[in-house]
Amino acid sequence: MMVEHRDGGARPRRSAPGSARPRRAPGGPRTLVQPARRAAYAVLRAVNESDAYANLLLPRELERAGLSGGDAALATELTYGTLRRLGTYDAVITAAADRDAASIDPPVLDALRLGVHQLMATRVASHAAVNESVALAREASGAGAGGFANAVLRRVARDRPGEWMARVADTARSDDERIGLEAAHPVWIVRALRRALAAEGRADELDDLLDADNVSPRVTMAALPGLAEPDGLRTAYSPVGFRLRSGDPEPLVRESGGTVRVQDEGSQLVALALSRHAPVEPGERWLDLCAGPGGKTALLAAEALAHGARLEANELVPARAGLVRRALEAVPLEVVVHERDGRELAAENRGVYDRILVDAPCTGLGALRRRPEARWRKQPSDVAELAEIQTGLLREAIGALKPGGVVAYVTCSPHLAETAAIVAQVRDELGDAVEELDARAVLRRVSRGALDLPVPESGAGHAQLWPHRHGTDAMFLALLRRRR
């Protein structure tokens, strides 16, 4: 994304309330760093030093710095743009510094990353990108660090971005590594995404998917059915989804009391697939087994309220359970929120529920547009650890169903080891006790518009949504019914 700040990013301005003032750098003169850059740098440091989440921290940092309008937009682009292409920028820094980026002092490395992003992917004036990034490095680690950063960034600024990309691509040891460097995805994720697309006979869509992961998603709203109406540009698929014509969604969310909320369209669709796969009988019992942070729970609660069903929710992490309770405040329905291991809760409630949502903990590879830092944090070993949890949750959830009841198994990941493999394993274990419904047909019935959902080569009934194809997070859905 190319962004040009309205003043070119070079002109110092008076400090607004809460903005950064000139600091005495260790070993250097007073410097003035534009508040937008300082905010972005603060988030980068927290993400890389403390495993903070940029989507949670950045709004607070913008508020603290008193940034709005164009300044907030610049800080947002600098933050997400830098995090999104971190691995590629590290390769550029390694080449420009003649030393491995991993050996550079972390505060200096983050300042370099911020500067390289501005030089390679924005229209910010190069002198502003260099000078203020150098100032951040000097403030963090002293005059020597400032001199080093100055040398590296001026070397990057001498050549065109395309020349640097070609130079970096030439260092790749395989085609997949080259793709990963060019598209800013770790190699193991590139391969996992290709395999998931190939399972649908669509491996040729890989470039489009990687490109979509590097584009900031549009904000999508959900109007809780029966409690609010979509008020804006209707989304292509979700019957409760819409987009604002302009502006910040937060005032509308507050004004609605939470009956209107920000929620990805894919998340809306998979929740509605559970509540609308078949008519609801009054008195049905539903369970959201892995409910945090509560967006799907609120949607299910509104659906339960409209049709006379009862809903329970469960979330293992107390802080996330608090978010679930807050999300449910907008729905006038009594919902008990448990704080248990979902496997234990389901095992203790055999044959109790008519519908269960298992929105399983996963790698989150389907939401890399929203959480760009996740691609650099996750490791292949995470998949195996999560698969054991996912299998246990799905197995126990099926046991907690009444005969004829349905589980929606959902992940925000297209990785086959977290999706089709989990469903296949549990089906093999349970044999004739469970049958898989046609999730693609259900989604098409729920959707407002035609959904391109190819049949996987395995012939299984699950459905996979995609950022490049549907404009949603890459949500996976399987619907499993316990036989009567």
Side-chain angles (χ1 to χ4, degrees):
M1 179 179 180
M2 304 295 283
V3 173
E4 183 172 12
H5 192 240
R6 62 188 176 205
D7 65 0
R11 205 166 53 241
R13 305 181 306 166
R14 293 182 180 176
S15 297
S19 66
R21 289 184 170 82
R23 298 183 182 181
R24 175 72 68 182
R30 286 186 181 274
T31 59
L32 180 66
V33 176
Q34 187 185 37
R37 289 190 180 87
R38 193 177 293 286
Y41 180 71
V43 175
L44 291 180
R45 291 299 304 128
V47 167
N48 293 321
E49 186 176 40
S50 307
D51 285 340
Y53 291 93
N55 64 318
L56 300 179
L57 182 58
L58 180 60
R60 295 201 295 269
E61 192 65 29
L62 295 178
E63 183 178 4
R64 186 202 63 78
L67 299 179
S68 61
D71 290 328
L74 177 62
T76 300
E77 160 57 22
L78 295 182
T79 300
Y80 284 112
T82 304
L83 288 172
R84 196 171 283 123
R85 295 189 170 274
L86 213 61
T88 301
Y89 294 154
D90 281 1
V92 172
I93 292 166
T94 294
D98 291 324
R99 59 184 283 196
D100 190 344
S103 70
I104 298 172
D105 189 29
V108 178
L109 180 58
D110 279 335
L112 288 171
R113 290 163 167 167
L114 189 62
V116 169
H117 175 63
Q118 293 172 78
L119 292 171
M120 294 189 62
T122 78
R123 295 192 183 96
V124 168
S126 60
H127 64 276
V130 171
N131 293 344
E132 296 197 26
S133 298
V134 167
L136 289 168
R138 184 186 300 119
E139 287 182 6
S141 299
F148 169 72
N150 185 62
V152 172
L153 291 175
R154 291 193 180 281
R155 184 174 180 187
V156 174
R158 281 201 299 267
D159 295 332
R160 296 177 181 274
E163 294 173 316
W164 279 110
M165 290 305 300
R167 198 170 296 154
V168 164
D170 285 344
T171 68
R173 294 163 294 184
S174 67
D175 285 344
D176 283 349
E177 187 171 329
R178 176 187 57 78
I179 292 170
L181 286 168
E182 292 175 345
H185 285 68
V187 172
W188 75 273
I189 293 180
V190 170
R191 292 170 177 164
L193 295 177
R194 181 190 291 114
R195 285 193 291 268
L197 288 167
E200 298 182 337
R202 299 283 187 91
D204 59 342
E205 295 180 4
L206 178 63
D207 288 346
D208 291 338
L209 173 56
L210 297 176
D211 287 345
D213 273 351
N214 289 328
V215 176
S216 297
R218 297 177 62 185
V219 175
T220 305
M221 310 295 294
L224 297 184
L227 301 173
E229 292 294 330
D231 182 21
L233 303 171
R234 298 298 301 273
T235 53
Y237 308 116
S238 171
V240 301
F242 67 101
R243 292 190 175 90
L244 299 181
R245 299 182 188 278
S246 63
D248 180 2
E250 189 57 33
L252 179 61
V253 173
R254 288 197 302 268
E255 182 181 340
S256 74
T259 59
V260 168
R261 59 188 58 234
V262 176
Q263 187 176 41
D264 175 70
E265 190 175 12
S267 294
Q268 298 173 37
L269 287 170
V270 296
L272 293 173
L274 177 63
S275 64
R276 300 186 181 186
H277 78 272
V280 180
E281 297 291 334
E284 283 188 4
R285 291 187 66 180
W286 299 358
L287 172 64
D288 187 349
L289 193 58
C290 311
K296 297 182 188 70
T297 320
L299 190 49
L300 288 177
E303 291 275 280
L305 178 65
H307 297 287
R310 292 175 289 168
L311 174 67
E312 296 173 40
N314 178 69
E315 172 53 49
L316 175 63
V317 181
R320 287 170 62 85
L323 296 176
V324 175
R325 294 185 181 96
R326 192 177 312 160
L328 288 166
E329 290 174 355
V331 185
L333 179 73
E334 184 176 350
V335 179
V336 175
V337 179
H338 305 280
E339 297 181 17
R340 302 278 305 281
D341 183 312
R343 293 165 292 189
E344 296 176 359
L345 177 66
E348 293 173 9
N349 289 274
R350 294 296 188 195
V352 169
Y353 300 101
D354 298 279
R355 307 184 195 220
I356 300 177
L357 175 63
V358 179
D359 186 9
C362 66
T363 56
L365 300 186
L368 297 182
R369 305 176 304 162
R370 301 178 192 283
R371 302 182 187 95
E373 69 273 16
R375 70 187 74 184
W376 311 114
R377 281 184 180 168
K378 301 297 182 180
Q379 302 295 329
S381 58
D382 297 334
V383 177
E385 295 175 9
L386 287 164
E388 182 178 353
I389 298 171
Q390 293 157 352
T391 303
L393 286 166
L394 180 55
R395 182 192 302 117
E396 298 301 339
I398 291 172
L401 288 173
K402 295 177 182 178
V406 171
V407 163
Y409 175 73
V410 171
T411 65
C412 188
S413 170
H415 197 300
L416 293 177
E418 300 186 87
T419 58
I422 300 298
V423 175
Q425 179 179 337
V426 172
R427 288 192 65 191
D428 286 346
E429 290 178 8
L430 299 181
D432 291 339
V434 65
E435 62 179 327
E436 185 172 5
L437 306 183
D438 188 343
R440 296 182 300 277
V442 172
L443 282 176
R444 289 187 180 112
R445 289 201 304 270
V446 168
S447 175
R448 297 179 64 243
L451 275 168
D452 180 9
L453 297 170
V455 178
E457 294 180 349
S458 66
H462 59 251
Q464 180 69 61
L465 298 171
W466 294 100
H468 68 290
R469 200 184 300 162
H470 307 107
T472 69
D473 289 346
M475 304 296 297
F476 173 88
L477 170 68
L479 296 170
L480 301 174
R481 179 162 57 201
R482 182 177 176 186
R483 293 187 188 274
R484 295 185 184 278

